[in-house]
Amino acid sequence: MSRLLFVALLAISLGCVAPSSSNHLPAGLAVDLGPGVNLNERFFDQVRALIKRRLQEKGLAKPEQPELAMPLVDDDAVALQNQRSYDNVPLPAASVPTPVLVENWPTEQHSFGQVTAVAVDPQGSPVVFHRAERYWDVNTFNESNIYYLIEYGPIKENTIYVLDAKTGAIKSGWGSNMFYMPHGLTIDLHGNYWITDVAMHQAFKFKPFSNKPLLTIGKRFRPGSSVKHLCKPTSIAVATTGEFFIADGYCNSRILKFNAAGKLLRTIPQPPEFLSLQVPHAITLLEHLDLLCIADRENMRVVCPKAGLISSHGEGEPAATIQEPDLGRVFGVASFGDIVFAVNGPTSMLPVRGFTIDPRSETIIGHWGEFKNPHSMAVSVNGSALYVTEIGTNHQTNRVWKYVLA
C-alpha cells in the first residue's frame, strides 16, 4: 500500500510541475501495480528524467554543465595554499609570552653613548652597540648624505660591549677605532656580528673581537642607490640558511636580500610588487612563516612580505600589514616563534611603549612597557629574555632594559 501511495504522490507532483494537459505519467513506464506491486529500476530512471525535463521547461533547474577538469597544481603550490590558510589562524592567548620588566637591571650603572642597537649572542649574553661621544644631529650629514666628520676619524673607544645576562655587568668590549656612526647590530646563530654604520654607508660581517670584516656591502663613505651602494643602512637580519637581508634604510627605503656569499638575490620592493617603504628602520625574520617583518617607521606600521627562504611562491604578493592608530612610528622589531615584538618612538601624543603583534592575523595582541626614546630590541635565542635600548643625551637616558618573557 505504501508503494501505491508513493506512485500516487509522484504523479500528483508531476502534475503540479507540468501543465494541466500533461499531468499524467508518460507512456512506456514499466509499472506493475499487481498484487506484488513491482516497481523496477527502469521506472525510477524514467521518472527522474521526466522530473528533470519538466523542471527545465519551467526554468526551475540549471542545464547540465560540461564537467571541468581540475587544474593541475604542483606540491609547492599546495603547500603554499596550506601555509596561507595556516597563517590566518590567530594565536591562542595562552601561547603568547608577555614581557615583564626586570627591576634594577643592570645592577651597576654604565656610561654608554647613544645605544643604537642590542643583540643577543648564542650564549644568551646581551651585546650593545653604542656611539660613545658621537651624536647624530642636523650637522652630521650634508644634503647629499655625505658624512661631515670624516676628518675626526673613527670612534676611539670600544663601541661594542658584551654584558652579563644576570647582572648586566660588562664582560668584554671591542670595536674601537673601527666605526664612525654605529646603527644596527645582529648576531647570527654562529656568533658572527652583522653591523651597519650609517656614516660609512656600509654593512659588515665580523667574527667577534676581529677588526677585519669577513664581508662588506657598500662603498666606504660613498652613498648611492645602485645595487653596489648603500645609503645609511639601518639593520640586518640573517637566516639559518646563511642568506641575509639589509634594510637600506634612511635614503633608499628598500630591503636587499643576499645569499651567504654576498651575491644580491632580490630587492624589496620590486615591480610588480606594490610596497612603499619610508625608512625601514629595523627588520626581523620569522623563518617558520617565511616572513620578513619590517619596522616601516615613517609609514607608522609593521609590514611582513614573504622572505622567499622556503619557496619563491608568494614573493611580490601583498605583505601582511599591521597598522593601528596607537602604533605610531615603529623603531624596533624582534621576533620569537610566530610572534613579533615592536617598540614605537615619540609620535605626537601617543604613548611610547612596546607591542606584541601576531602577523598572521595582522593584529596587535598586547601592549607592555613605558619608554621615552627606544631605538632597538632583541630576543634571546631560547626566548627567555627581551632587551630594549634607548637613546638620549646622557648616560642616564642611554640605557638598556631587560624583560623576561613569561
Side-chain angles (χ1 to χ4, degrees):
M1 178 63 70
S2 61
R3 293 186 180 182
L4 286 172
L5 180 59
F6 166 76
V7 172
L9 290 173
L10 183 62
I12 292 171
S13 66
L14 286 172
C16 293
V17 173
S20 59
S21 60
S22 304
N23 60 356
H24 59 277
L25 294 178
L29 284 179
V31 183
D32 182 0
L33 299 180
V37 193
N38 180 30
L39 299 176
N40 63 26
E41 195 63 27
R42 184 184 173 206
F43 165 76
F44 289 107
D45 289 340
Q46 291 174 323
V47 169
R48 294 186 193 103
L50 176 63
I51 293 173
K52 187 174 183 179
R53 186 167 62 251
R54 294 289 168 81
L55 287 173
Q56 287 178 350
E57 290 172 357
K58 298 288 289 181
L60 300 176
K62 295 180 180 179
E64 286 187 1
Q65 299 291 334
E67 187 173 349
L68 298 176
M70 292 297 291
L72 297 177
V73 294
D74 58 29
D75 292 340
D76 283 345
V78 172
L80 180 65
Q81 184 178 15
N82 292 339
Q83 179 69 46
R84 284 175 181 159
S85 63
Y86 177 74
D87 289 353
N88 292 328
V89 178
L91 289 167
S95 68
V96 178
T98 302
V100 178
L101 180 65
V102 178
E103 300 286 350
N104 301 315
W105 190 98
T107 57
E108 60 183 67
Q109 195 175 63
H110 301 303
S111 297
F112 296 137
Q114 291 185 330
V115 188
T116 60
V118 61
V120 183
D121 68 17
Q123 291 73 44
S125 300
V127 182
V128 297
F129 194 30
H130 79 118
R131 293 175 178 160
E133 81 285 355
R134 297 276 168 91
Y135 288 88
W136 184 353
D137 57 28
V138 294
N139 299 312
T140 304
F141 295 88
N142 68 15
E143 293 180 356
S144 300
N145 298 304
I146 302 294
Y147 182 58
Y148 266 138
L149 308 175
I150 297 175
E151 62 187 82
Y152 289 91
I155 297 169
K156 294 178 175 57
E157 63 183 90
N158 288 333
T159 53
I160 299 170
Y161 286 109
V162 182
L163 308 181
D164 183 270
K166 291 183 179 179
T167 66
I170 294 175
K171 296 167 61 176
S172 59
W174 61 287
S176 61
N177 294 302
M178 292 174 63
F179 306 109
Y180 287 75
M181 188 60 68
H183 198 279
L185 170 66
T186 300
I187 301 176
D188 65 26
L189 293 176
H190 303 289
N192 298 304
Y193 283 56
W194 298 78
I195 288 169
T196 66
D197 187 308
V198 290
M200 300 168 75
H201 304 290
Q202 289 181 304
F204 307 95
K205 175 186 178 182
F206 287 94
K207 284 290 185 185
F209 304 98
S210 173
N211 60 2
K212 292 186 178 179
L214 298 172
L215 186 66
T216 301
I217 305 294
K219 303 297 183 181
R220 185 178 176 91
F221 297 117
R222 292 169 56 191
S225 57
S226 77
V227 295
K228 294 184 179 181
H229 289 82
L230 303 175
C231 188
K232 298 178 182 172
T234 53
S235 179
I236 301 176
V238 186
T240 55
T241 60
E243 295 166 281
F244 62 96
F245 299 77
I246 298 177
D248 180 35
Y250 285 95
C251 320
N252 293 325
S253 288
R254 63 183 180 179
I255 309 295
L256 302 176
K257 177 184 177 182
F258 298 85
N259 68 10
K263 178 183 178 182
L264 182 64
L265 300 176
R266 180 186 172 201
T267 302
I268 303 172
Q270 62 184 2
E273 191 171 12
F274 184 75
L275 178 64
S276 176
L277 302 174
Q278 290 191 49
V279 187
H281 196 261
I283 53 178
T284 187
L285 277 167
L286 289 77
E287 293 197 43
H288 172 65
L289 300 179
D290 198 21
L291 294 178
L292 176 76
C293 288
I294 306 165
D296 189 8
R297 195 182 77 179
E298 298 308 307
N299 280 328
M300 303 188 196
R301 63 183 182 175
V302 174
V303 290
C304 303
K306 283 291 182 180
L309 300 172
I310 299 173
S311 168
S312 60
H313 288 293
E315 288 186 355
E317 292 188 353
T321 302
I322 300 89
Q323 188 169 30
E324 298 190 15
D326 66 335
L327 190 54
R329 299 162 70 226
V330 186
F331 277 73
V333 288
S335 60
F336 183 75
D338 297 343
I339 286 293
V340 173
F341 298 101
V343 287
N344 65 357
T347 311
S348 186
M349 301 298 292
L350 293 177
V352 180
R353 56 184 173 175
F355 301 82
T356 304
I357 292 170
D358 179 3
R360 299 185 298 179
S361 60
E362 301 181 72
T363 55
I364 295 171
I365 57 177
H367 299 86
W368 47 272
E370 183 178 343
F371 307 103
K372 295 191 182 304
N373 198 16
H375 196 263
S376 73
M377 61 194 311
V379 178
S380 61
V381 176
N382 63 6
S384 63
L386 179 151
Y387 299 90
V388 179
T389 73
E390 292 204 65
I391 62 174
T393 57
N394 56 55
H395 67 273
Q396 292 179 327
T397 54
N398 294 317
R399 61 167 302 164
V400 187
W401 302 94
K402 180 179 180 179
Y403 289 78
V404 293
L405 296 178

